[in-house]
Amino acid sequence: MDNRKIYVTQPALPPLAEFIPYLQEIWNSKTLTNNGPYHQQLEKALCEYLGVPHIALFCNGTIALMTALKALRIQGEVITTPYSFVCTSHSLLWNDLQPVFVDVDPVTLNLDPRRIEEAITPQTSAILPVHCYGLPVNTVEIQRIADVYGLKVIYDAAHAFGVKQKGESILNAGDLSVLSLHATKVFNTFEGGAIICQDEKTKQRIDYLKNFGFADEVTVMAPGINGKMSELNAAMGLLQLKYVDEAIEKRLRIQALYRELLADVRGIEQLAVPDDVEWNGAYFPVFVNGHYPISRDALYARLQEHGIHGRRYFFPLISSMPMYRGLPSANPRKLPNAHQAAEKVLCLPIFPDLALEDVAKICVIIDEASRG
Ligand SMILES: *Cc1c(COP(=O)(O)O)cnc(C)c1O
């Protein structure tokens, strides 16, 4: 094989020449940030594209998550998944909230609604689930529980750009959903994030919070933060939006080929996409089970020898990290499915420009290793 390295992801970029007119406009107007014209246009365009009523853009997904928790005045304990990127739980600690980890479903690897009720205490005020890999968590069941116990639901939808279930955007579930528009995600503005909300008043509050709490020149409504997206990033988003359908189509073609070529490889399991879900192909995780002759980590290393850099998303578990592992809910015995996933899942390269021939080569390596 050649010496090229293939990473788990590679950012999608539009043609550079098409970005120049946007730069020209920014230079001409000298409006660099603070809810400028590109920022306003992108919020509007994303509402239309995603099928959501309100969206507030942010400088990144982490600040958006932190702000979402503040916007709803969440207190005390928040139920969440240990099987995610660290910032899901970090956003709780930055708000002096206590994460309460609940195990994932062994099949979907999403927060298991059957385990939520036993974790609720008088201090619980919210649930923070993740649509892991862009595949929807059971929002119906989570909403039922939230309604019974009077809890808020904030979805970490960092992976779920454009995902629909039963023809409806998954981003409309719960009280708030948070997107990441980071370089590694399906739709990127280099760095960026967004909060999706369902009513004008909440959108207003979020807009104050992301701008230091300013309601007007002399009125500060709340201890806000600087979470604003710049005009440069917003312009990038407007340009990216022209290409995102094509990018998602390419991802779906890649995942379809992986599915086909890995279907009969003994010991390699794939995550199912439910029939009612329109997925975005954000990641391609496989489960390296006990029938595979080598461990997940050995396969990860084998692929690296061939220049293929998969990622062990998500390993280590958030609940195993030093700032979390002392929590009562972080006890590994209570999180068997999450631990199993952290040990067995490998995310294979997937990004719009990944050649189908490279997908085929990756599958050959995995297939050969499966024969011992
Ligand atoms: C990427 C990501 C985020 C937010 O990341 P930013 O880099 O701050 O935009 C949040 N949650 C999950 C699960 C993520 O993968």
Side-chain angles (χ1 to χ4, degrees), residues 58 63-75 91-97 154 176 195 202 205-206 209-210 222-225:
F58 276 79
I63 299 279
L65 264 179
M66 285 164 49
T67 307
L69 293 159
K70 271 274 189 276
L72 300 184
R73 301 186 175 84
I74 303 301
Q75 304 267 321
S91 70
L92 298 172
L93 292 195
W94 275 79
N95 275 291
D96 285 326
L97 298 165
I154 298 170
L176 299 175
I195 302 179
T202 309
R205 179 166 167 74
I206 292 166
L209 282 172
K210 80 176 189 193
I225 197 163

Side-chain angles (χ1 to χ4, degrees), residues 50 73 115 289 325 338:
L50 295 169
R73 301 186 175 84
R115 302 248 85 103
N289 74 25
R325 64 186 173 217

Side-chain angles (χ1 to χ4, degrees), residues 60-63 65 84-85 87-88 130 156 158-159 179-182 184-185 191-193 283 314:
N60 63 56
T62 305
I63 299 279
L65 264 179
S84 181
F85 182 61
C87 82
T88 308
V130 177
D156 179 339
H159 304 169
L179 283 173
S180 167
L181 310 180
H182 181 256
T184 54
K185 304 302 205 278
E191 290 270 5
Y283 296 85
F314 289 97

Side-chain angles (χ1 to χ4, degrees), residues 28-317:
N28 290 347
S29 73
K30 301 200 168 34
T31 303
L32 309 186
T33 184
N34 286 11
N35 198 28
Y38 285 140
H39 184 285
Q40 292 177 29
Q41 282 176 45
L42 183 59
E43 285 192 344
K44 196 158 167 278
L46 283 174
C47 280
E48 272 167 33
Y49 179 83
L50 295 169
V52 300
H54 299 280
I55 194 160
L57 290 169
F58 276 79
C59 54
N60 63 56
T62 305
I63 299 279
L65 264 179
M66 285 164 49
T67 307
L69 293 159
K70 271 274 189 276
L72 300 184
R73 301 186 175 84
I74 303 301
Q75 304 267 321
E77 298 176 3
V78 177
I79 289 171
T80 191
T81 169
Y83 192 70
S84 181
F85 182 61
V86 277
C87 82
T88 308
S89 288
H90 280 2
S91 70
L92 298 172
L93 292 195
W94 275 79
N95 275 291
D96 285 326
L97 298 165
Q98 162 120 303
V100 175
F101 297 112
V102 162
D103 204 7
V104 296
D105 180 291
V107 175
T108 66
L109 308 185
N110 272 320
L111 193 61
D112 188 346
R114 292 166 298 191
R115 302 248 85 103
I116 291 177
E117 285 185 85
E118 66 199 34
I120 295 173
T121 76
Q123 281 69 51
T124 309
S125 64
I127 310 174
L128 176 60
V130 177
H131 301 296
C132 195
Y133 310 126
L135 289 164
V137 65
N138 186 340
T139 55
V140 173
E141 195 50 23
I142 287 172
Q143 195 59 52
R144 186 192 68 76
I145 296 165
D147 289 343
V148 169
Y149 292 87
L151 308 176
K152 299 287 189 194
V153 186
I154 298 170
Y155 287 99
D156 179 339
H159 304 169
F161 187 93
V163 174
K164 290 182 179 169
Q165 188 161 30
K166 298 190 168 67
E168 157 90 9
S169 173
I170 196 71
L171 303 172
N172 286 326
D175 295 282
L176 299 175
S177 287
V178 177
L179 283 173
S180 167
L181 310 180
H182 181 256
T184 54
K185 304 302 205 278
V186 167
F187 173 82
N188 85 77
T189 57
F190 287 15
E191 290 270 5
I195 302 179
I196 286 87
C197 66
Q198 300 298 313
D199 65 272
E200 184 74 49
K201 232 175 107 188
T202 309
K203 157 80 170 149
Q204 184 67 262
R205 179 166 167 74
I206 292 166
D207 282 346
Y208 294 155
L209 282 172
K210 80 176 189 193
N211 186 28
F212 312 99
F214 278 112
D216 60 43
E217 213 176 300
V218 291
T219 318
V220 178
M221 305 286 287
I225 197 163
N226 181 357
K228 291 173 274 117
M229 175 181 275
S230 84
E231 285 294 276
L232 210 56
N233 301 102
M236 188 64 192
L238 283 167
L239 182 53
Q240 292 280 45
L241 206 49
K242 297 181 184 173
Y243 292 94
V244 70
D245 282 334
E246 189 186 323
I248 291 174
E249 262 171 48
K250 286 182 179 170
R251 285 175 176 275
L252 294 177
R253 233 175 286 148
I254 290 164
Q255 66 96 30
L257 184 60
Y258 269 131
R259 283 186 191 280
E260 182 192 328
L261 298 179
L262 295 176
D264 298 325
V265 178
R266 190 170 148 81
I268 297 291
E269 285 172 58
Q270 309 181 16
L271 232 58
V273 181
D275 287 339
D276 63 358
V277 170
E278 289 168 57
W279 190 39
N280 59 8
Y283 296 85
F284 194 78
V286 293
F287 207 84
V288 184
N289 74 25
H291 295 294
Y292 202 74
I294 58 175
S295 69
R296 185 275 311 265
D297 288 348
L299 176 60
Y300 167 76
R302 176 78 57 92
L303 285 166
Q304 278 201 354
E305 288 164 19
H306 290 85
I308 314 294
H309 295 254
R311 280 294 290 267
R312 289 166 289 185
Y313 288 142
F314 289 97
F315 168 85
L317 287 183

